[in-house]
Amino acid sequence: MFRMNLKIALRNLWKNKVYTAINIGGLSIALAAFIIVVLYVNYETSYDKNLPNYDRIYLVGRSMPDFKTDYTPAPLAKAIRQNFPEVELAGLTKNMGFEMPVSSDHGKIFSSNALQVESEVAKMFDIDPRDGLPANDAGLKAYLPRPLYKQLFPKESMKPPQMVALGPSNGAQAEKVSGTIDRDDEHSNLKFDLLALGNDISFGDQDYGANNFKTFIQVKKGTDVKALQEKIDRLYKKEVVKAGVSPTDRRIAGRSVIFLDPLKNLHLRPAAGSDANYKVVMALFGLGILVMVIACINFTNLTIAQATKRAKEVGVKKVLGAYRFNLTFQFLAEIFMQCVLALIMGLIVAEILLPVFNNLFSTPLSLWRSNTTLYWQLPLLLLLITIISGIYPALVLSGFKPAAVLKGNLQTSYKTLWLRNALLAGQFGIAIIFITGLFIVNSQLKYMRTEDTGFKPEQVISIKNMVLYSQPWSFRDVREKISKIPGVNYVTVASDIPDGSKAGTMNYKIDGKEASSDFLYVDFDYFETLGIRLKEGRLFSWKFNADTANSAILNESAVARYGVKDPVGKTIRGCDIDYKIVGVVKDFKSQGFQTAVEPTVYTIKNPCGNFKTKIMINVDEQRMALVLTTLKSQWSSINKLDGDDFRYDFLDELYGRLFKKQEQLQAVFFFAAVLTIFIAVLGLFAFSAFTTNSRIKEISIRKVLGATDFQVLKLLNTYFIWIILVANLVAWPLTYMLAKKWLQTFAYRIEMPILPFLVAAVVTSVLTIIIVSIQAQKAVRRNPAEVLKYE
């Protein structure tokens, strides 16, 4: 029996080659897209999931009145370890914050992610050097990931420990690399290319006012995390009060400060950070599901459309004693065979497309390597699409009544007409969502690329530098040497550059009103270098000696936060210094378009701030190549402490990286729109062919009665155009809500455009007219005499 049903299934598939190819082809392409999306979602949601205590690791953060941060003071980890027995491990990490040359006699690398880590954090993250964790009194020991170690010491005989030089060649510090670490940190929240490991990286620091470490804890099984968070909060407040902070200070009074952020949230949804990654992952997953839905709809629609061809077979089998259950199982088995073929083809297409996806999203996805999750997901997916795509067609096919079928009285096509129309409308509705979404994403990206950001990153070079220019006079010699190069307009140095980096935050007070603001530690010509416009007052100038001691410039948002009228000349207090406000600059979008411009205070002197290391040079457009060549050849004499390793970035390229997620989303919508339109058009092609063939006698009779070819074409097109118009009317409100929600994630955004909705309607209508007309033309050209003859 099984062999006979298999033969029948294969013969039917071969007999209807075009429909079979459309069914399997459309489903395989959708499966390829969905498989890639599943791989990406698996990858993004499994950061650090291989850790044995993954669900018991937390990052300690602070919730301040105006922002959240995951930076904490050095002594907090030790205090948590000593006071709470439910905490198994607690430790600190600290990023070095600048690029550092690491060299040996055999090679050189540039470490841009040097990380100090305490041993207890190393245990949490399963970081295990080959020579084991350092002893209690060992101080800091340096380690390199094995691939980087091989670049410095290529010979097999060069085993650790080995000496390396940290820093520029003329001011390098000798350091011993104690060993290597066999760990791929690309899939971890703790990333490093140079690791300094020790039992205490705070070196006895007991200052609760300096928050420049990250604190990780690992709790025991069964710990009430919420209760622990409250206890740590009370401990923190107690310690900062001991350190001299008033109990009524707005930073701690009447509110919870400490929060515990689970490790599973840190990559996609950190409490103190952007959730842009999470939105892209969820958007991709949603798009993948919609693509699968449209493919399953296409499959179901075409299977139902061909139901009449199997009617007599069903009737004969029922007369011979077959039960409906047997027939349902048979048709499901046939559909399962098609789904298996589609899955195999989908895997092949996915393997071909993966390099393109990996390049776009900077991921190392692979179908076959380290992908145990996919092994159980694929069979589940196969079963799911078989049931979704096949259960209704199988029930329809097995439900034919033998008497009606064998008399030729089958009206199934009309009984299922409403369903087929709804499914076709659903297909195009999803395609309309993608088309409209693509144009809206394009409009927002165009706005972000062309809108005035408030500063001019073009023609600005950001030089990678290790020297700390903390005093106003310390940068003077470097500035003068660079300024003498023909083509250089302005030179400055600052603690941060406008590339999306978050500046430091501090409490400032004006006229008795205290609030937190970002602060930047800058130098002369900072605003001129970046083309930031002055609103009132003046900019920093060498003509005023006080600028190096106690002058400050605010942006418009800071003036608005403090509610100050006529701020120039008033005093703002912060970091135990009374600053005189000498100017106000216009807001500029240093952190992109998703985040509103933060209130910011700019000073030349700031003992509480980060070091000034970011050198920026504004260059004439016509002389860029000459300036870069000169800088490279003279860098060792210009910046003697930084050596001969001249490296730079263009500021506009660094700023452009803030648009990367939106550009990825744009690419995804483009491919999704093309894919869904392709699948919908395939379905429409087959469905219109079936509909036209089923109405061939009606068309012939109309032609005999005098209908012109145009009237017949209009009749057939009108039927499908109405379906497409309904699809547009249903899809538009849904698209509007989704697009509005997406646009609300931007602080600076476009108004909802109308044109994308009209374009989607025109595109789908024109495609429908073309496809249906091609099919209808074949029927119109047929001779009515041949169609209507009985024998």
Side-chain angles (χ1 to χ4, degrees):
M1 188 69 178
F2 173 77
R3 184 180 296 179
M4 183 185 72
N5 287 332
L6 180 62
K7 285 182 179 179
I8 292 172
L10 293 174
R11 284 172 181 170
N12 274 300
L13 293 176
W14 184 252
K15 184 179 179 181
N16 302 288
K17 290 186 286 291
V18 174
Y19 287 98
T20 301
I22 291 174
N23 259 358
I24 296 176
L27 191 56
S28 64
I29 294 171
L31 277 168
F34 190 71
I35 287 168
I36 292 174
V37 167
V38 168
L39 284 173
Y40 180 68
V41 172
N42 285 342
Y43 180 80
E44 290 291 319
T45 56
S46 60
Y47 268 57
D48 289 315
K49 221 167 187 176
N50 60 316
L51 299 178
N53 303 310
Y54 167 76
D55 58 345
R56 295 192 282 126
I57 299 173
Y58 295 83
L59 177 64
V60 182
R62 296 179 301 125
S63 180
M64 305 308 288
D66 305 306
F67 64 96
K68 286 185 175 182
T69 177
D70 50 17
Y71 285 96
T72 50
L76 183 59
K78 186 176 181 180
I80 291 172
R81 197 162 50 235
Q82 291 175 343
N83 287 277
F84 306 117
E86 59 265 52
V87 176
E88 288 182 336
L89 300 168
L92 302 173
T93 69
K94 185 178 181 180
N95 196 290
M96 299 302 292
F98 48 78
E99 189 170 281
M100 181 189 308
V102 183
S103 55
S104 70
D105 293 336
H106 306 277
K108 176 184 284 189
I109 62 173
F110 292 96
S111 166
S112 58
N113 207 0
L115 190 69
Q116 293 181 353
V117 175
E118 288 189 345
S119 297
E120 296 215 344
V121 177
K123 292 175 185 176
M124 292 183 217
F125 283 86
D126 203 22
I127 299 171
D128 188 16
R130 292 199 165 193
D131 64 341
L133 294 174
N136 290 334
D137 58 348
L140 289 181
K141 298 177 74 175
Y143 297 89
L144 283 170
R146 189 155 187 79
L148 295 182
Y149 182 86
K150 292 290 289 182
Q151 291 183 38
L152 292 175
F153 303 101
K155 296 180 181 179
E156 288 295 329
S157 59
M158 296 177 175
K159 296 181 179 179
Q162 294 284 347
M163 298 301 295
V164 296
L166 297 182
S169 57
N170 58 354
Q173 176 182 340
E175 185 66 51
K176 181 170 69 174
V177 175
S178 299
T180 60
I181 296 177
D182 294 325
R183 180 176 181 270
D184 179 14
D185 70 350
E186 288 302 312
H187 206 208
S188 172
N189 290 286
L190 212 61
K191 297 184 183 298
F192 57 84
D193 51 24
L194 173 62
L195 185 68
L197 195 58
N199 288 288
D200 181 9
I201 64 171
S202 70
F203 302 105
D205 183 358
Q206 295 299 310
D207 186 2
Y208 270 89
N211 300 283
N212 45 16
F213 289 86
K214 290 189 177 183
T215 302
F216 287 92
I217 64 171
Q218 179 178 302
V219 302
K220 293 180 179 178
K221 290 181 180 179
T223 298
D224 186 338
V225 176
K226 187 175 181 181
L228 175 63
Q229 179 176 292
E230 292 172 356
K231 289 192 284 186
I232 296 175
D233 184 63
R234 289 194 293 270
L235 171 69
Y236 171 78
K237 290 177 180 176
K238 178 182 174 182
E239 294 297 329
V240 295
V241 169
K242 279 184 187 178
V245 176
S246 170
T248 59
D249 191 291
R250 64 189 290 268
R251 290 171 292 178
I252 60 173
R255 51 190 300 277
S256 297
V257 177
I258 296 296
F259 63 84
L260 300 180
D261 203 7
L263 180 61
K264 64 182 179 181
N265 287 351
L266 295 188
H267 176 60
L268 294 178
R269 290 187 294 172
S274 171
D275 62 348
N277 282 343
Y278 176 75
K279 290 171 184 173
V280 170
V281 170
M282 289 298 101
L284 264 177
F285 189 58
L287 298 182
I289 290 175
L290 287 177
V291 168
M292 278 306 305
V293 167
I294 198 173
C296 290
I297 287 174
N298 188 58
F299 193 98
T300 302
N301 216 0
L302 293 181
T303 306
I304 293 174
Q306 297 178 79
T308 52
K309 296 182 179 180
R310 307 290 298 275
K312 288 187 177 181
E313 174 193 339
V314 172
V316 171
K317 285 188 175 182
K318 281 195 171 184
V319 169
L320 295 174
Y323 293 101
R324 186 173 187 180
F325 170 79
N326 304 118
L327 294 170
T328 302
F329 182 80
Q330 176 196 333
F331 291 125
L332 273 176
E334 291 182 18
I335 291 167
F336 178 76
M337 288 171 55
Q338 295 180 63
C339 290
V340 168
L341 288 173
L343 181 59
I344 294 170
M345 290 178 61
L347 286 169
I348 295 170
V349 174
E351 182 69 18
I352 295 170
L353 294 178
L354 260 180
V356 178
F357 185 90
N358 285 336
N359 183 56
L360 177 63
F361 283 85
S362 303
T363 52
L365 303 183
S366 170
L367 281 173
W368 319 112
R369 189 176 64 251
S370 303
N371 236 326
T372 54
T373 310
L374 197 64
Y375 297 154
W376 64 264
Q377 288 175 336
L378 284 179
L380 183 64
L381 177 63
L382 179 61
L383 181 64
L384 195 62
I385 60 173
T386 300
I387 293 172
I388 292 173
S389 305
I391 192 67
Y392 188 81
L395 291 174
V396 169
L397 288 166
S398 63
F400 292 148
K401 295 180 181 179
V405 168
L406 297 176
K407 284 180 181 178
N409 263 340
L410 185 63
Q411 299 295 326
T412 303
S413 60
Y414 296 102
K415 290 178 182 178
T416 59
L417 183 63
W418 65 271
L419 178 61
R420 283 182 283 138
N421 291 346
L423 292 177
L424 186 63
Q427 271 186 305
F428 273 92
I430 294 172
I432 290 161
I433 290 173
F434 285 126
I435 296 170
T436 311
L438 173 62
F439 280 97
I440 292 172
V441 171
N442 283 347
S443 298
Q444 176 64 18
L445 262 176
K446 183 179 178 182
Y447 167 79
M448 291 163 63
R449 290 185 181 122
T450 58
E451 181 68 8
D452 182 18
T453 59
F455 75 109
K456 298 176 180 178
E458 301 83 7
Q459 305 307 125
V460 176
I461 305 168
S462 172
I463 298 180
K464 296 180 179 180
N465 163 64
M466 290 182 59
V467 183
L468 311 180
Y469 297 106
S470 301
Q471 299 299 327
W473 50 264
S474 61
F475 188 63
R476 184 179 299 179
D477 289 343
V478 175
R479 177 203 310 278
E480 289 178 355
K481 291 176 181 177
I482 296 176
S483 298
K484 290 177 181 177
I485 298 174
V488 171
N489 298 322
Y490 299 103
V491 185
T492 192
V493 66
S495 58
D496 294 280
I497 60 175
D499 62 348
S501 303
K502 184 72 172 71
T505 305
M506 188 186 301
N507 267 26
Y508 288 91
K509 185 183 290 186
I510 304 179
D511 292 344
K513 181 175 180 179
E514 188 175 12
S516 62
S517 294
D518 285 0
F519 66 88
L520 255 72
Y521 191 14
V522 302
D523 206 86
F524 295 104
D525 292 338
Y526 174 82
F527 302 101
E528 293 89 338
T529 301
L530 294 174
I532 298 168
R533 296 185 292 273
L534 179 68
K535 183 179 181 182
E536 56 182 296
R538 65 175 178 82
L539 301 176
F540 295 129
S541 171
W542 284 103
K543 297 177 182 178
F544 300 92
N545 292 330
D547 284 359
T548 62
N550 63 349
S551 293
I553 292 175
L554 276 59
N555 67 354
E556 292 175 300
S557 294
V559 173
R561 170 163 289 183
Y562 290 101
V564 183
K565 293 183 178 179
D566 301 321
V568 176
K570 292 192 174 182
T571 299
I572 179 171
R573 183 169 180 79
C575 195
D576 296 328
I577 297 177
D578 289 327
Y579 294 100
K580 182 181 177 181
I581 301 172
V582 298
V584 177
V585 294
K586 289 191 170 289
D587 286 343
F588 65 99
K589 303 177 182 67
S590 62
Q591 295 182 48
F593 285 72
Q594 287 187 291
T595 306
V597 175
E598 295 287 346
T600 309
V601 178
Y602 303 90
T603 62
I604 290 181
K605 180 180 180 180
N606 191 336
C608 299
N610 295 327
F611 299 113
K612 288 190 283 190
T613 61
K614 314 290 186 180
I615 299 175
M616 290 177 283
I617 306 173
N618 187 303
V619 182
D620 277 341
E621 183 177 356
Q622 304 301 324
R623 300 188 178 183
M624 178 63 74
L626 174 63
V627 170
L628 287 173
T629 303
T630 307
L631 282 170
K632 185 174 183 179
S633 63
Q634 299 180 9
W635 190 245
S636 58
S637 60
I638 291 174
N639 198 8
K640 294 179 180 179
L641 294 175
D642 200 25
D644 52 5
D645 298 312
F646 178 71
R647 302 174 313 285
Y648 65 91
D649 288 307
F650 291 111
L651 187 57
D652 55 350
E653 292 180 0
L654 293 177
Y655 190 76
R657 292 174 189 173
L658 298 178
F659 306 156
K660 183 178 180 180
K661 292 299 177 186
Q662 283 67 46
E663 289 169 348
Q664 289 174 344
L665 199 60
Q666 179 190 38
V668 167
F669 263 96
F670 174 77
F671 286 116
V674 171
L675 181 57
T676 51
I677 291 171
F678 176 72
I679 295 173
V681 165
L682 280 181
L684 178 63
F685 179 83
F687 189 32
S688 60
F690 172 81
T691 303
T692 304
N693 289 334
S694 65
R695 299 180 68 178
I696 190 70
K697 288 188 177 181
E698 175 194 343
I699 292 169
S700 298
I701 292 171
R702 288 179 181 273
K703 289 190 69 176
V704 169
L705 295 176
T708 63
D709 290 356
F710 177 77
Q711 288 173 324
V712 175
L713 290 172
K714 180 182 176 183
L715 172 71
L716 295 173
N717 272 298
T718 301
Y719 170 74
F720 286 100
I721 287 295
W722 274 109
I723 295 175
I724 300 307
L725 289 177
V726 170
N728 274 277
L729 293 175
V730 172
W732 283 354
L734 182 59
T735 307
Y736 179 85
M737 289 187 292
L738 292 173
K740 187 175 181 180
K741 190 172 182 180
W742 178 71
L743 286 173
Q744 285 173 348
T745 62
F746 295 90
Y748 308 98
R749 55 184 178 265
I750 59 171
E751 294 295 328
M752 183 68 74
I754 301 300
L755 186 60
F757 296 90
L758 299 178
V759 169
V762 171
V763 168
T764 50
S765 298
V766 169
L767 283 174
T768 300
I769 291 170
I770 293 171
I771 297 300
V772 174
S773 296
I774 290 172
Q775 294 295 336
Q777 194 69 29
K778 297 176 184 177
V780 168
R781 289 176 179 174
R782 292 191 63 177
N783 188 344
E786 292 180 3
V787 174
L788 296 175
K789 68 180 179 181
Y790 183 69
E791 288 182 355

